[in-house]
Amino acid sequence: MANFFTSKQLTTIIVAVAAVFIMMGLLTIVVHVTDSNSESKTESSTTDSDDGNGNGDLKLKIKSEGVDDGGDDDDGDEVKVQEALEGDPYKELDELIGLQSVKEEVHSLANYVKVQKQREKQGLKTPKLSYHLVFTGSPGTGKTTVARIVARIYKDLGILKRGHMVETDRSGLIGQYVGQTAPRVNQMCDSALDGVLFIDEAYAITQGGSEDYGAEAVATLLKRMEDDRDRLVVIVAGYTNEMKNFINSNPGLQSRFNRYIDFPDYTPEELYDIFQMYLRKNEYGVSSEAAQYMKEQLKRVVDSKDRNFGNARYVRNIFEKAIQCHANRISTTKNNTTADLYTLKLKDVKGAFSKK
């Protein structure tokens, strides 16, 4: 090669080739960084985007649901939207197991609204009425189910146009950084317009301490309740004492939430009726021995319950464990009959109570 190129020319060629390789390496890095940034932006489209100072735009995932499966899924930032179902909400309310005092309260509210609407049509004075509600009681006593029915009743009465319900809790309202809480609350309210915003365990909003953003959430919520008073109904729910303390902690909450509906715990008999409901819905039956054992155990559990007792949720868990025990028992048997596949035996129900 020395015969064809001088030393100076050879040096120039080597430098040029090296420069080409360096440029190719830089191009690869740029492409990799660009792809990474694109992936990062895609991932952050459903989370809190941060501008470097903790002040980012909030984007929450909204999941619409047409049918209630009775579940208690925790979807993080995902918001449950229950669309108004077809059918008679008053009939559905009356067909709920137990909750007699709750049914009477809801019917009384509906009757009052109907009469005031009639008075208004006749040009008579009507007192200002707040449609916001406080549901108090233990877990698993039907608060969410009744809230969905109330949303549909409000639609039937002409209070709400859409009658859907948006369900959330503290995690869906409180941001992690300065400037995120108000946008969260506003987005929740926007999604609930012409329907009901249901806040479960609402007392937890203000239990984060002095450095928490609970006060900002409450202030933003109160402003939206006032600004959209003809399009937004808010129902808050939680333990009785905690909810009373929460409402009484703020004059704005006191003035807007003045109707309480208490949800009593289910009796052992009502819990057994709920168990039978799960059996019917899932096409299972139960032997007489298993049924008797179930009744005895429910009475024992209710007699020794604490404030965290899950009521209907507890029964649902027992049912799910019982059908698992049933499956384990008959899975190794060939040619199971319809009765074998259908009937829960004493062993299955005992196993459900023994499972942790």
Side-chain angles (χ1 to χ4, degrees):
M1 184 176 290
N3 295 330
F4 295 98
F5 300 103
T6 65
S7 176
K8 185 175 181 181
Q9 289 173 327
L10 186 60
T11 300
T12 302
I13 292 172
I14 292 172
V15 171
V17 171
V20 170
F21 279 104
I22 291 172
M23 291 299 295
M24 290 176 65
L26 289 174
L27 180 61
T28 301
I29 293 172
V30 169
V31 171
H32 176 73
V33 170
T34 302
D35 290 343
S36 298
N37 287 340
S38 177
E39 292 174 2
S40 176
K41 288 178 181 179
T42 301
E43 292 172 357
S44 66
S45 65
T46 56
T47 57
D48 298 343
S49 59
D50 197 346
D51 64 2
N53 297 308
N55 300 314
D57 294 331
L58 180 72
K59 297 180 180 179
L60 297 177
K61 294 179 285 183
I62 306 294
K63 181 174 75 172
S64 294
E65 298 180 345
V67 179
D68 173 26
D69 62 2
D72 300 300
D73 299 331
D74 183 7
D75 300 311
D77 280 348
E78 200 166 27
V79 183
K80 295 181 181 179
V81 181
Q82 176 72 37
E83 292 294 343
L85 304 177
E86 298 297 326
D88 185 351
Y90 303 96
K91 181 180 178 182
E92 289 185 30
L93 176 68
D94 292 336
E95 289 177 348
L96 294 176
I97 295 171
L99 304 177
Q100 188 57 40
S101 60
V102 174
K103 297 172 185 177
E104 292 173 358
E105 284 281 353
V106 174
H107 277 294
S108 178
L109 173 61
N111 292 338
Y112 181 80
V113 173
K114 287 178 183 177
V115 171
Q116 297 308 314
K117 292 278 188 181
Q118 293 173 10
R119 287 175 56 86
E120 186 177 13
K121 286 184 178 180
Q122 297 296 327
L124 298 172
K125 290 184 178 179
T126 57
K128 189 176 180 181
L129 176 64
S130 173
Y131 300 113
H132 310 298
L133 300 171
V134 182
F135 287 178
T136 61
S138 302
T141 49
K143 295 186 291 294
T144 304
T145 299
V146 173
R148 290 172 179 147
I149 293 174
V150 167
R152 294 165 59 198
I153 289 176
Y154 278 175
K155 179 184 178 182
D156 177 72
L157 294 172
I159 298 170
L160 299 171
K161 291 182 179 179
R162 184 174 166 189
H164 67 298
M165 188 179 89
V166 175
E167 180 184 348
T168 189
D169 55 17
R170 174 190 162 87
S171 66
L173 298 173
I174 306 295
Q176 295 180 331
Y177 308 106
V178 173
Q180 289 187 332
T181 295
R184 273 181 179 263
V185 176
N186 281 322
Q187 186 167 356
M188 288 291 182
C189 292
D190 288 341
S191 63
L193 285 177
D194 299 318
V196 167
L197 176 61
F198 178 78
I199 307 175
D200 197 15
E201 296 181 346
Y203 55 84
I205 295 174
T206 56
Q207 290 185 341
S210 58
E211 297 182 359
D212 188 65
Y213 306 113
E216 180 183 0
V218 170
T220 306
L221 179 63
L222 289 174
K223 185 176 186 305
R224 288 302 301 268
M225 291 170 69
E226 177 61 27
D227 293 346
D228 298 300
R229 56 186 174 275
D230 296 325
R231 297 186 62 193
L232 178 65
V233 170
V234 179
I235 299 177
V236 292
Y239 286 109
T240 302
N241 291 334
E242 283 85 342
M243 287 306 300
K244 288 181 179 178
N245 292 335
F246 169 66
I247 298 299
N248 293 333
S249 68
N250 186 298
L253 293 173
Q254 282 182 310
S255 65
R256 289 168 178 80
F257 292 99
N258 51 31
R259 184 181 288 267
Y260 287 71
I261 298 180
D262 182 62
F263 286 68
D265 285 357
Y266 289 108
T267 66
E269 294 76 20
E270 290 167 346
L271 291 174
Y272 184 73
D273 288 342
I274 292 171
F275 178 68
Q276 287 188 310
M277 176 192 70
Y278 283 120
L279 291 174
R280 290 193 301 272
K281 282 187 174 182
N282 295 277
E283 294 190 341
Y284 278 92
V286 63
S287 69
S288 58
E289 296 88 353
Q292 183 60 36
Y293 181 82
M294 183 73 180
K295 293 176 182 178
E296 292 171 355
Q297 291 304 303
L298 288 175
K299 185 178 186 310
R300 178 188 61 80
V301 169
V302 169
D303 289 343
S304 60
K305 70 183 178 183
D306 59 21
R307 63 177 259 137
N308 296 317
F309 178 60
N311 286 280
R313 294 177 191 173
Y314 175 83
V315 174
R316 185 185 66 195
N317 290 337
I318 290 295
F319 168 75
E320 291 173 351
K321 291 175 182 178
I323 63 175
Q324 181 62 64
C325 290
H326 168 261
N328 292 338
R329 177 172 58 81
I330 69 170
S331 61
T332 57
T333 303
K334 293 183 179 180
N335 302 320
N336 284 304
T337 66
T338 301
D340 293 331
L341 296 167
Y342 179 80
T343 308
L344 301 182
K345 298 292 184 68
L346 178 59
K347 183 179 179 180
D348 305 325
V349 177
K350 280 188 173 182
F353 280 96
S354 64
K355 277 180 173 286
K356 298 298 183 183

